[in-house]
């Protein structure tokens, strides 16, 4: 397969602190309130009745290089994990590791900050393993996703266009069934996260923000260069279809139930004399 | 010989002659000790140098000491009568071995307490035992080293082993405590620390004998129950929050197959009150002349504790019903509390599967919505066969629904799951209708009549080539359009063993 070919997109893990004086300017300093010890303890307490849900979309976009294509590098593609509404996932995800085909140089690519994406060029399709690592107060376990990189379009009519990429995206939701209070406090009103209505009287500790939150670059993908190709995922359509299907099935069930009760009522009347006619 | 043939020489020499000529040759060649061929490998000559040095071979080590065996007398400290016996002794350098007879150390005895008459009157009197009997008991204990089975046999009056043990231990205990300068001294003595418990012992022995006298069948049922209980216990272990709406805790115990004393509950689903449950067991036990089912109690108690825990938790959850619960509520399947009857209602397994799947999901710190949906679908499919599952999926496709939702949000997944369950119900109903009608038709047609295309109940197998699905069974109900528009061409042979007669799916 091809060698890695760095593209002018953002390099992973790089902080834009070329001028050394103003080093990394974390926009959010650690606001840990040293006063309450109970707060700290509470931060790790887990809430049983709250389920936090993070809708994400992950996938690949692949462009044919056309004239610039070579034997070993015919396509330029990007694999990414984004918020479903293009919000910044950095509040939840600490880093993402993309495991590429072994023929790539350094096939394990780590992306330390949002937007969690990786661009490469190559010629072959393969399965990319995407591992999400969450912040410490979110979850200690990692989560694995798998995505098949698609370079060639479905319909093979005509030459490939360099303008229209092959986009394959999957929608999914990360569910944290028993989030810690600290986590909840931190992301309570963040747009990337769906938090259900909290039980009343819940005393959350004051939010402690994460270290090394690099806010120099935006973590959201709202104005991402590839955002024009992002697919739309609306649950409304699906819900409608499901509701319609359910209605149909329920109607059938009702009819059958009626039938069943009729059939059950009748066998006692049977044993007719011969010559019974069936129509 | 053949060589001579080849060379054309005369074949004058007869075999005996040849044999004669051979031996001198052989004696010339063959050395002692190795076969001719092997010797021939060396080139026919003896080696010039010996291959192995004689000094390299193992030599018998010279004995350092002089050992003889002698027939000598001996005594044993274990004997009190100074009996002198003889045995072979390994004598080293003329010195016979010293020391006691080597087996004397195994002559252990028990220290049976001896009480005086005063002590007896002070501490040991007991309405059930006379002094005589107690004395006899202790004497026997001394003689037989506390082998109570033997003692019981030899005891003049008929007493059970447990009674004897009880008396012995309580007497010993009392004496110990009485003689001890302070209670603290003897507190550590095993007799004091763990007193003999007659009833417990009797129970234990009875249970043991029951276990040991189980037939193979009973053993197998034992295992089944244990496996079942284990399964239930494990699925119940994380009963943190069970979001299922149900009313009063139902007791559902179904189909107790009972032989011997072991009951195999087919589906232990919920148990509301422990008393209820145990009462059920006991009632069943009594019915079959086994007033106590120790194993069953033990086994089911373990499983039961978790079940009860779940029931309690679920009651709490039900009272805190939130948005979550309504979304996930299993449609319609509430179970009414039943009195203890056999056999009673069956709670559909959907409830338990749902609960256990949810619980197991909650054990994960993080999971994907699609994964959760998969698990729930699997749980719902657990009761259905492979063919049914395929039919469900086919139905989904026909309805224009993705087998895996494209936008798996919480709501979508819930709807999808519900849809699948409804399709399952529908398919089950279809089957039921079929069966009912099949039964009906077999009632009707007692003989092999010619009604076209009516597969008889007896003729079910292999009747696949009907081209038309007639309304063969008509109980006066109107049927409009019997053909199946759903997926199969009308009358196309279905893959089922019992061909569908009526497809009411399109009505």
């Amino acid at each position: 397969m091809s060698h890695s070919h760095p593209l002018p997109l953002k390099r992973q893990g790089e902080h834009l602190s070329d001028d050394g004086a103003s080093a990394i300017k974390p926009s959010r300093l650690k606001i840990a309130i040293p006063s309450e010890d109970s707060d700290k303890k509470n931060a790790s307490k887990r809430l049983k009745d709250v389920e936090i849900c993070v809708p994400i979309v992950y996938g690949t976009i692949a462009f044919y290089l056309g004239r610039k294509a070579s034997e070993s590098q015919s396509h330029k593609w990007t694999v990414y994990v984004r918020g479903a509404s293009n919000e910044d996932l950095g509040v939840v995800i600490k880093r993402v590791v993309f495991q590429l085909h072994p023929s790539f140089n350094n096939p394990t690519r780590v992306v330390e900050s949002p937007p969690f994406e990786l661009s490469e060029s190559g010629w072959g399709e393969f399965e990319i393993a995407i591992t999400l690592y969450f912040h410490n107060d979110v979850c200690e376990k990692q989560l694995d996703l798998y995505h098949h990189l698609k370079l060639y379009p479905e319909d093979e009519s005509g030459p490939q266009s360099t303008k229209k990429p092959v986009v394959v995206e999957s929608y999914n939701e990360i569910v944290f069934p028993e989030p810690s209070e600290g986590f909840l406090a931190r992301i309570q009103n963040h747009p990337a996260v769906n938090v259900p209505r909290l039980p009343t009287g819940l005393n959350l500790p004051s939010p402690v923000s994460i270290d090394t939150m690099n806010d120099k670059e935006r973590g959201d993908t709202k104005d991402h260069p590839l955002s024009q190709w992002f697919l739309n995922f609306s649950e409304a359509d699906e819900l409608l279809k499901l509701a319609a299907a359910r209605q149909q099935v329920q109607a059938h069930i009702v009819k059958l139930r009626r039938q069943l009760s009729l059939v059950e009522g009748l066998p006692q009347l049977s044993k007719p004399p011969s010559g019974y006619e069936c129509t | 010989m053949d060589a001579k043939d080849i060379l054309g020489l005369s074949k004058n020499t007869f075999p005996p002659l040849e044999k004669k000529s051979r031996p001198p040759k052989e004696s010339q060649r063959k050395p002692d000790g190795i076969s001719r061929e092997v010797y021939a490998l060396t080139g026919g000559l003896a080696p010039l140098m010996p291959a192995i040095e004689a000094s390299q071979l193992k030599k018998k080590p010279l004995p350092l000491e002089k050992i003889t065996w002698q027939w000598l007398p001996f005594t044993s400290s274990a004997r009190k009568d100074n009996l002198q016996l003889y045995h072979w002794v390994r004598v080293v350098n003329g010195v016979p071995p010293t020391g006691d007879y080597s087996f004397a150390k195994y002559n252990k005895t028990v220290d049976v307490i001896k009480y005086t008459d005063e002590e007896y009157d002070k501490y040991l009197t007991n309405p059930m035992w006379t002094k005589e009997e107690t004395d006899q008991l202790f004497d026997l204990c001394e003689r037989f080293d506390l082998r109570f089975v033997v003692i019981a046999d030899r005891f003049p009056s008929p007493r059970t082993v447990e009674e004897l043990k009880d008396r012995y231990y309580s007497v010993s205990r009392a004496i110990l405590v009485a003689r001890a300068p302070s209670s603290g001294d003897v507190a550590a003595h095993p007799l004091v620390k763990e007193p003999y418990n007659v009833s417990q012992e009797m129970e234990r022995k009875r249970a043991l004998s029951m276990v040991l006298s189980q037939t193979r069948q009973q053993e197998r049922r034992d295992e089944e129950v244990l496996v079942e209980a284990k399964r239930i216990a494990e699925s119940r272990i994380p009963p943190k929050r069970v979001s299922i709406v149900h009313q009063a805790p139902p007791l559902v115990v179904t189909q107790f197959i009972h032989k011997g004393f072991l009951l195999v509950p087919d589906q232990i689903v919920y148990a509301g009150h422990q008393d209820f449950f145990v009462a059920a067991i006991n009632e069943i036990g009594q019915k079959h002349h086994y007033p106590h089912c120790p194993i069953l109690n033990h086994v089911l108690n373990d499983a039961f504790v978790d079940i009860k825990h779940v029931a309690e938790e679920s009651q709490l959850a039900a009272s805190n019903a939130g948005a979550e619960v309504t979304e996930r509520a299993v449609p319609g399947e509430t179970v009414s509390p039943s009195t203890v009857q056999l056999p009673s209602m069956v709670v559909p397994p959907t409830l338990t599967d749902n609960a256990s799947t949810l619980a197991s999901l909650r054990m994960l710190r993080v999971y994907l919505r699609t994964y959760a949906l998969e698990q729930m679908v699997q749980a719902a499919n657990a009761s259905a066969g492979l063919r049914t599952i395929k039919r469900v999926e086919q139905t989904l496709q026909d309805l224009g629904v993705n087998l895996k939702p494209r936008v798996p949000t919480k709501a979508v997944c819930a709807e999808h799951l519900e849809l699948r369950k409804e399709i399952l119900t529908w398919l089950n109903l279809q089957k039921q209708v079929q069966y009912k009608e099949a039964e009906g038709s077999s009632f009707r047609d007692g003989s092999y009549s010619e009604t076209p295309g009516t597969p008889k109940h007896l003729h079910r197998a292999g009747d696949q080539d009907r081209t038309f699905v007639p309304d063969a069974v008509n109980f006066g109900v109107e049927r409009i359009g019997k053909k199946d528009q759903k997926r199969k061409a009308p009358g196309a042979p279905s893959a089922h063993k019992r061909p569908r007669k009526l497809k009411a799916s399109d009505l």
Side-chain angles (χ1 to χ4, degrees), chain B residues 11-306:
Chain B
K11 261 195 348 191
N12 292 351
T13 53
F14 292 116
L17 272 178
E18 280 172 354
K19 268 196 182 162
K20 256 198 228 162
S21 64
R22 272 211 204 121
K25 259 194 178 175
E26 280 179 20
S27 60
Q28 198 181 46
R29 278 194 182 179
K30 184 176 169 203
D32 298 327
I34 51 174
S35 68
R36 183 167 52 91
E37 285 82 9
V38 173
Y39 191 66
L41 288 174
T42 63
L45 292 169
L48 296 169
M49 301 283 293
I52 300 174
E53 285 290 313
S55 57
Q56 284 177 5
L57 296 169
K58 261 199 233 173
K59 292 197 186 82
K60 225 196 255 181
L62 290 167
L64 294 161
E65 315 147 321
K66 192 165 122 203
I67 307 274
T68 54
W69 285 87
Q70 292 177 15
W71 182 253
L72 294 175
F74 71 95
T75 55
S76 165
S77 61
R79 296 195 68 96
K80 302 287 186 291
D81 50 6
N82 289 327
L83 173 66
Q84 208 181 56
L85 296 170
Y86 287 80
H87 64 188
W88 284 107
V89 174
R90 186 172 180 268
V91 177
V92 181
N93 285 341
V95 177
T98 53
D100 193 10
Y101 180 52
S102 58
F103 298 105
K105 62 181 184 268
Y106 299 116
N107 189 38
K108 299 241 185 235
T109 52
V110 182
D111 296 325
V112 173
I113 288 184
K114 298 222 181 346
Y115 51 81
T116 63
D117 290 342
E118 301 161 359
E119 282 177 327
Y120 185 89
D121 295 327
K122 260 210 296 192
Y123 310 111
L124 306 174
T125 50
N126 187 308
M128 305 261 290
W129 286 77
T130 65
K131 183 163 194 311
E132 242 181 29
E133 283 197 310
T134 314
D135 288 343
Q136 278 176 331
L137 169 64
F138 270 76
D139 176 52
L140 284 172
C141 287
E142 172 90 37
R143 277 168 60 196
F144 291 111
D145 291 331
L146 290 191
R147 280 179 284 214
F148 281 101
V149 181
V150 179
I151 294 170
D153 277 345
R154 306 232 166 179
F155 205 72
S157 52
R159 293 267 192 180
T160 67
V161 173
E162 286 81 27
E163 284 178 32
L164 295 173
K165 275 190 177 176
D166 187 32
R167 182 63 178 152
Y168 172 79
Y169 288 123
S170 52
V171 162
S172 308
R173 193 158 183 268
I175 293 285
L176 264 182
V177 170
R179 287 185 189 168
S182 79
S183 62
D185 290 341
V186 268
H189 196 283
L191 268 178
V192 174
K193 240 193 335 180
E194 286 142 30
Y196 184 73
N197 186 339
V198 186
S199 49
Q200 188 192 38
E201 280 293 299
M202 290 182 59
E203 192 54 41
R204 177 184 69 83
K205 287 184 183 172
R206 205 180 60 82
L208 188 63
S209 70
M210 271 180 145
V211 170
L212 291 173
S213 55
Q214 270 187 339
T215 64
R216 191 178 291 273
Q217 238 186 352
Q218 284 169 342
E219 266 180 13
R220 263 193 267 129
R221 292 228 192 80
D222 259 352
E223 277 180 43
E224 284 172 34
V225 170
L226 282 170
V227 165
E228 176 84 32
K230 193 173 171 222
R231 192 180 65 77
I232 292 171
E234 276 170 8
S235 68
R236 290 277 174 264
I237 274 170
K240 302 250 176 72
R241 180 176 57 123
V242 176
S243 42
I244 288 178
V245 178
H246 64 235
Q247 268 84 36
L251 167 63
V252 181
V253 168
T254 73
Q255 292 185 0
F256 278 75
I257 307 165
H258 172 67
K259 246 191 194 167
F261 64 90
L262 231 291
L263 310 180
V264 181
D266 273 357
Q267 282 180 7
I268 305 175
V269 179
Y270 287 110
H273 301 284
Q274 185 159 18
D275 324 305
F276 223 29
F277 198 54
V278 172
I281 303 298
N282 281 332
E283 183 178 300
I284 295 157
Q286 271 156 14
K287 222 172 167 177
H288 296 264
H289 306 297
Y290 278 97
H292 300 284
C293 307
I295 293 175
L296 177 62
N297 278 344
H298 159 72
V299 154
L300 288 178
N301 263 339
D302 286 349
F304 182 83
V305 167
D306 298 310

Side-chain angles (χ1 to χ4, degrees), chain B residues 384-420:
Chain B
L386 191 58
R387 220 200 300 158
T388 322
I389 297 174
K390 290 221 165 76
R391 285 169 66 191
V392 169
E393 295 185 347
Q394 183 65 52
T395 317
L396 280 172
Q397 279 180 350
D398 296 335
L399 291 164
V401 171
N402 300 325
L403 257 73
K404 291 195 177 176
R406 183 170 172 266
V407 189
T409 65
K410 196 175 173 117
V412 166
C413 287
E415 284 285 305
H416 187 96
L417 190 63
E418 293 311 313
L419 178 60
R420 273 183 183 256

Side-chain angles (χ1 to χ4, degrees), chain B residues 308-329:
Chain B
K308 180 180 173 200
H309 194 45
V310 170
E312 286 172 349
E313 295 271 349
S314 59
Q315 273 192 313
L316 287 175
S319 59
N320 297 343
E324 290 263 21
V325 176
T326 50
E327 257 184 62
R328 292 207 189 270

Side-chain angles (χ1 to χ4, degrees), chain A residues 226-265:
Chain A
L226 294 171
S227 59
Q228 56 174 303
W229 305 112
F230 291 164
L231 299 176
N232 259 329
F233 292 92
S234 119
E235 63 168 352
D237 291 335
E238 199 120 19
L239 277 176
L240 274 176
K241 248 199 301 194
L242 283 171
R246 281 187 73 183
Q247 259 193 343
Q248 275 193 45
V249 175
Q250 279 161 6
H252 287 314
I253 290 180
V254 164
K255 289 210 174 84
L256 279 182
R257 286 218 164 107
R258 234 190 300 143
Q259 249 186 337
L260 204 59
S261 58
L262 287 169
V263 169
E264 275 177 348

